[in-house]
Amino acid sequence: YWPYWSLLKENIKNLWIKEFVQKKTDMMLLDSAILMNSQVWLTSGHVWGFSDPLMDCKSCKSRHRADKLIEDDYAKKGIDEVADGMSREEMEWYIEWSEIVCPNCAKKDFTEIKQFNLMFKTHQWVTDNTWSEVYLRPETAQWIFVNFANIARSSRRKIPFWVAQVGKSFRNEITPGNFI
């Protein structure tokens, strides 16, 4: 962000915190670490299931999410469905069967669908061992779940209460947005 946009971003963040955290009596603010133990992400299913099904057009070299192409085809046919539950094989079969073409070049020349992991992996220690693997958090809410008992105990609040998480999350996306 440029200097004035940085100030605007901070002002929006401060207004959000004031409106949704400070004005409420049952809300707490949490700003947690960016790195989290890989066992948390393994247990929650993020390591194996937090990915996008991507395929490339061989003609124009553009990359597309297979599930979004299928959902766009559903919308054209008036079908109100999502492709979330489909396996890679089912998506490839549907794309072949319904003759979905590339939105950019209108050709039907796709690569196989590959699962594109959305998490950034790094190593916590100097050595490059599998036990030192950690992930930059792809979402901010995970710390709330992991530390809920700690938050409840340290805040001395009775259930129900709310937790607001602030901070950055890191996703390995093909269309990153500059969202606030």
Side-chain angles (χ1 to χ4, degrees), residues 22-177:
Q22 292 174 344
K23 285 186 177 180
K24 302 196 181 292
T25 59
D26 58 349
M27 179 74 77
M28 276 150 302
L29 185 66
L30 177 66
D31 189 2
S32 55
I34 292 172
L35 297 175
M36 185 181 279
N37 188 312
S38 60
Q39 288 300 313
V40 172
W41 302 114
L42 282 168
T43 305
S44 67
H46 280 81
V47 172
W48 309 116
F50 200 64
S51 59
D52 284 342
L54 298 182
M55 58 188 198
D56 298 325
C57 177
K58 294 177 186 175
S59 299
C60 68
K61 308 294 185 228
S62 60
R63 181 168 283 167
H64 305 282
R65 284 186 55 174
D67 56 343
K68 295 301 176 197
L69 289 176
I70 292 170
E71 288 173 8
D72 290 345
D73 187 61
Y74 283 165
K76 287 178 193 173
K77 295 176 180 174
I79 303 170
D80 189 26
E81 288 286 326
V82 292
D84 271 349
M86 295 176 86
S87 69
R88 183 180 59 82
E89 293 82 13
E90 290 171 329
M91 285 190 272
E92 285 178 349
W93 177 85
Y94 184 85
I95 289 168
E96 184 70 29
W97 174 79
S98 63
E99 299 187 7
I100 293 176
V101 296
C102 175
N104 295 341
C105 67
K107 293 187 179 174
K108 189 181 178 215
D109 192 17
F110 295 112
T111 62
E112 286 184 3
I113 297 173
K114 296 179 183 103
Q115 291 303 109
F116 186 76
N117 195 334
L118 297 173
M119 293 180 22
F120 286 109
K121 184 189 329 182
T122 187
H123 294 273
Q124 190 170 4
W125 311 110
V126 179
T127 58
D128 192 10
N129 297 327
T130 56
W131 57 268
S132 68
E133 285 180 359
V134 290
Y135 295 92
L136 295 176
R137 66 179 181 200
E139 60 185 38
T140 54
Q142 199 68 27
W143 270 103
I144 297 170
F145 303 130
V146 172
N147 289 309
F148 184 78
N150 200 7
I151 295 167
R153 189 172 42 252
S154 64
S155 67
R156 298 180 185 155
R157 302 277 174 126
K158 292 187 180 187
I159 296 177
F161 62 85
W162 303 92
V163 180
Q165 168 72 47
V166 295
K168 296 188 182 306
S169 58
F170 303 88
R171 289 191 183 184
N172 189 17
E173 295 182 289
I174 61 169
T175 56

Side-chain angles (χ1 to χ4, degrees), residues 1-14:
Y1 294 98
W2 293 94
Y4 290 120
W5 293 109
S6 296
L7 290 173
L8 177 64
K9 181 180 80 89
E10 284 302 309
N11 287 340
I12 291 171
K13 178 181 167 184
N14 292 335

